[in-house]
């Protein structure tokens, strides 16, 4: 019982009922989302790659070239790399499946070009986005199986 | 100059550290070309199944901000302005405005990338105690943020056990095949690529590393029962971030702002006064 009296929640309940209520409601909501295994802002779940990752036959990557110079993702900082790779990962399949309107398609191409050019501080004007399908050998070396152009864009 | 009253002094030192790290995080996003005004007016907002993102996207606010560079700049600058105003005036309203500006950045960035990036959560949560004027409520909410940090790590370890991935031999190897594919394609000669290649091909070793990570994450659970080991947990969190950078290629240092809750603030206070970094009235 003495141990319970020293706990954070007990002390909080005794001294600040409003904050106690807010924290208990927050904890209950987090617990509910844990049970549902579904994240909902601001009830974050920190799995940190806890879902089982099965091996895949092929792994997909996107290569972006500006005037034949490939953008090296490893040279970019995380926040910047995320902006490029995540948006391309989302948009490329939509482009390939023709699910974007011509206007949206063009908006995306212009945006990616502008964002990459600003980042590189060059005035290059042609961009190629290429889908790479890869797999791995037993030594952990990645091999490119196929290269498919997603789109090419020339800035006007 | 620091006030003589003990609580106000501690509050102010914590504010300097927290908002100092917060400014460093914002600066990091600035040099990463990832602030709102630097996003070059992104064409899409990737709405999600999460209702807060759906609602925020439906308001049109993120689209409106990112499509107007001047307005986006105002929101970016507001992060700095509210921080400086808070540190100088100690008025809680600026702390609240900072949290709101950070929240707007967090939601907008995640909507633009379509990826729910957790790094900035620490910034949002640790700014909350500074909303409160009373000593008691500040201390309790600061302690609550400490528990939240413990939850972040210990739950990550628990999820891996409950989902069985901790016991899946090829888990880390398979993760790295997807996670590090760009690095291996573009820079195979680099030391980070060598680490990734080694871990992909040596699954026994990578599984051991995964298990070590699970143990490290679970060790944060001890913090729920005692504060005796906080100094170790402080360094464990830093170790995790360093390992995460070399193995996964993810720089999760933004989350480390929550590491400040594990510090012994009496010692920090004594240290800053002894070193004459600040003086007391």
């Amino acid at each position: 019982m003495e141990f319970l009296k020293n706990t954070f929640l007990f002390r909080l309940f005794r001294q600040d009922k409003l904050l106690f209520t807010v924290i208990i409601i927050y904890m209950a909501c987090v617990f509910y989302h844990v049970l549902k295994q579904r994240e909902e802002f601001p009830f974050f779940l920190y799995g940190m790659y806890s879902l089982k990752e099965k091996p895949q036959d092929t792994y997909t990557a996107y290569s972006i070239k500006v005037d034949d110079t490939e953008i090296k993702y490893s040279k970019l900082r995380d926040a910047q790399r995320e902006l490029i790779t995540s948006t391309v990962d989302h948009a490329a399949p939509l482009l390939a499946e023709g699910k974007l309107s011509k206007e949206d398609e063009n908006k995306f191409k212009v945006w990616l070009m502008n964002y990459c050019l600003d980042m590189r501080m060059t005035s290059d004007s042609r961009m190629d986005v290429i889908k790479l399908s890869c797999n791995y050998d037993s030594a952990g070396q990645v091999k490119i199986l196929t290269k498919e152009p997603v789109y090419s864009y020339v800035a006007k | 100059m620091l006030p003589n009253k003990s609580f106000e002094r501690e509050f102010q030192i914590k504010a300097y550290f927290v908002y100092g790290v917060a400014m460093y995080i914002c600066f990091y996003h600035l040099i990463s070309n990832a602030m709102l005004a630097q996003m070059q007016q992104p064409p899409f907002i990737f709405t999600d199944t999460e209702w807060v993102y759906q609602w925020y996207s439906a308001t049109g606010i993120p689209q409106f901000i990112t499509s107007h560079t001047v307005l986006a700049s105002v929101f970016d600058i507001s992060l700095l302005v509210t921080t400086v105003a808070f540190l100088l005036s100690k008025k809680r309203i600026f702390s609240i405005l900072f949290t709101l500006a950070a929240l707007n950045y967090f939601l907008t960035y995640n909507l633009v990338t379509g990826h729910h990036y957790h790094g900035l959560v620490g910034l949002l949560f640790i700014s909350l105690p500074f909303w409160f004027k009373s000593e008691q409520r500040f201390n309790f909410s600061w302690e609550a943020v400490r528990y939240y940090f413990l939850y972040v790590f210990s739950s990550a370890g628990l999820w891996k056990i409950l989902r069985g991935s901790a016991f899946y031999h090829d888990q880390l190897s398979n993760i790295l095949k997807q996670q590090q594919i760009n690095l291996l394609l573009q820079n195979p000669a680099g030391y980070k690529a060598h680490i990734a290649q080694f871990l992909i091909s040596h699954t026994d070793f990578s599984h051991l590393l995964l298990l070590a990570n699970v143990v490290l994450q679970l060790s944060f659970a001890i913090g729920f029962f005692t504060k005796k080991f906080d100094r170790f947990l402080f360094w464990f969190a830093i170790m995790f971030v360093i390992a995460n950078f070399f193995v996964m290629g993810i720089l999760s240092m933004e989350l480390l702002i929550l590491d400040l809750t594990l510090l012994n603030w009496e010692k920090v206070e004594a240290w800053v006064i002894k070193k004459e970094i600040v003086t007391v009235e």
Side-chain angles (χ1 to χ4, degrees):
Chain A
M1 196 61 194
E2 204 52 42
F3 169 75
L4 266 182
K5 280 182 182 170
N6 287 326
T7 58
F8 171 70
L9 286 176
F10 192 87
R11 283 185 289 119
L12 186 61
F13 176 73
R14 292 277 297 267
Q15 294 175 51
D16 191 336
K17 293 210 171 31
L18 178 64
L19 190 60
F20 172 82
T21 309
V22 170
I23 288 175
I24 285 292
I25 290 172
Y26 182 79
M27 283 171 63
C29 289
V30 170
F31 188 66
Y32 171 78
H33 287 91
V34 165
L35 291 179
K36 302 246 317 178
Q37 297 206 27
R38 187 178 184 281
E39 183 171 285
E40 193 78 60
F41 179 94
F43 313 113
F44 302 104
L45 306 182
Y46 294 90
M48 295 191 190
Y49 295 89
S50 59
L51 284 171
K52 260 189 191 170
E53 192 75 29
K54 294 284 178 192
Q56 296 170 31
D57 293 334
T58 57
Y59 292 85
T60 303
Y62 291 96
S63 166
I64 303 172
K65 288 182 178 173
V66 179
D67 277 359
D68 292 328
T69 306
E70 191 175 28
I71 292 177
K72 302 278 186 195
Y73 301 122
S74 57
K75 300 240 187 275
L76 307 178
R77 293 185 181 88
D78 279 27
Q80 192 174 23
R81 188 171 61 219
E82 199 68 57
L83 258 171
I84 296 175
T85 56
S86 269
T87 45
V88 170
D89 284 348
H90 277 85
L94 299 175
L95 280 162
E97 291 161 23
K99 286 184 176 170
L100 290 179
S101 66
K102 278 281 162 220
E103 192 190 348
D104 282 347
E105 199 178 310
N106 197 50
K107 273 186 190 170
F108 175 74
K109 291 174 183 175
V110 172
W111 171 77
L112 190 61
M113 176 70 116
N114 284 344
Y115 186 71
C116 293
L117 286 183
D118 186 48
M119 192 177 69
R120 287 157 49 87
M121 301 301 282
T122 66
S123 56
D124 295 333
S125 58
R126 183 193 162 89
M127 175 174 274
D128 295 287
V129 178
I130 302 146
K131 181 183 174 184
L132 309 172
S133 294
C134 315
N135 69 4
Y136 287 85
D137 64 17
S138 57
Q141 305 261 15
V142 65
K143 295 204 182 322
I144 299 171
L145 302 174
T146 58
K147 288 183 180 187
E148 296 167 50
V150 179
Y151 72 82
S152 293
Y153 174 73
V154 180
K156 288 170 189 150
Chain B
M1 190 173 280
L2 287 176
N4 196 22
K5 272 176 87 178
S6 150
F7 166 66
E8 285 174 18
R9 200 163 59 220
E10 187 185 321
F11 179 93
Q12 210 159 317
I13 292 174
K14 280 178 177 169
Y16 284 142
F17 272 81
V18 166
Y19 283 86
V21 176
M23 278 304 94
Y24 177 74
I25 291 171
C26 292
F27 178 71
Y28 177 76
H29 278 251
L30 179 73
I31 59 170
S32 301
N33 223 23
M35 295 304 287
L36 299 174
Q38 296 171 307
M39 288 181 185
Q40 301 283 342
Q41 306 179 356
F44 303 136
I45 291 291
F46 294 102
T47 45
D48 199 272
T49 50
E50 288 189 36
W51 70 266
V52 170
Y53 285 98
Q54 282 181 350
W55 166 80
Y56 197 54
S57 162
T59 62
I61 295 170
Q63 296 90 327
F64 189 74
I65 294 172
T66 53
S67 61
H68 295 84
T69 310
V70 176
L71 185 63
S73 306
V74 170
F75 273 88
D76 289 340
I77 294 166
S78 70
L79 288 164
L80 175 68
V81 171
T82 50
T83 296
V84 173
F86 175 63
L87 292 178
L88 292 178
S89 71
K90 290 164 224 149
K91 290 204 166 117
R92 270 63 174 179
I93 182 68
F94 293 115
S95 174
I96 295 169
L97 289 174
F98 172 84
T99 309
L100 294 178
L103 177 63
N104 172 60
Y105 178 72
F106 174 85
L107 292 175
T108 307
Y109 180 86
N110 284 353
L111 280 167
V112 167
T113 58
H115 174 77
H116 289 194
Y117 181 62
H118 279 168
L120 293 167
V121 170
L123 188 65
L124 297 176
F125 276 81
I126 206 165
S127 63
L128 295 178
F130 296 94
W131 286 24
F132 306 121
K133 216 167 190 171
S134 92
E135 176 177 353
Q136 182 178 282
R137 194 162 281 176
F138 174 82
N139 286 335
F140 272 126
S141 51
W142 180 266
E143 210 176 332
V145 178
R146 174 185 169 276
Y147 284 115
Y148 190 79
F149 189 45
L150 300 173
Y151 155 75
V152 169
F153 276 102
S154 49
S155 67
L158 269 177
W159 276 117
K160 288 182 186 74
I161 290 172
L162 295 173
R163 284 174 165 166
S165 58
F167 311 108
Y168 180 43
H169 184 264
D170 292 352
Q171 173 76 359
L172 184 57
S173 172
N174 290 342
I175 289 171
L176 289 172
K177 283 177 182 172
Q178 185 63 61
Q179 177 69 20
Q180 297 287 45
I181 190 164
N182 287 319
L183 175 76
L184 292 167
L185 283 169
Q186 295 186 328
N187 192 15
Y191 73 94
K192 276 204 272 181
H194 286 306
I195 294 173
Q197 253 171 24
F198 178 82
L199 291 171
I200 287 170
S201 55
H202 295 79
T203 50
D204 287 340
F205 189 84
S206 58
H207 190 215
L208 269 178
L209 189 65
L210 176 72
L211 289 173
N213 179 44
V214 171
V215 171
L216 183 136
Q217 290 178 333
L218 285 177
S219 70
F220 279 79
I222 198 150
F224 287 109
F225 305 101
T226 175
K227 288 181 180 170
K228 273 185 201 164
F229 302 104
D230 277 13
R231 63 181 188 280
F232 296 111
L233 299 180
F234 177 85
W235 290 108
F236 284 180
I238 293 171
M239 267 170 58
F240 171 83
V241 168
I242 294 170
N244 209 22
F245 175 72
F246 286 111
V247 175
M248 301 288 284
I250 301 169
L251 190 61
S252 41
M253 59 154 200
E254 289 143 330
L255 208 55
L256 275 186
I257 195 169
L258 293 174
D259 218 12
L260 292 173
T261 59
L262 297 178
L263 282 177
N264 180 336
W265 284 93
E266 282 175 17
K267 282 187 181 171
V268 174
E269 196 179 319
W271 181 79
V272 293
I273 293 169
K274 188 181 161 195
K275 291 278 175 189
E276 295 178 350
I277 296 169
V278 289
T279 51
V280 182
E281 271 171 9

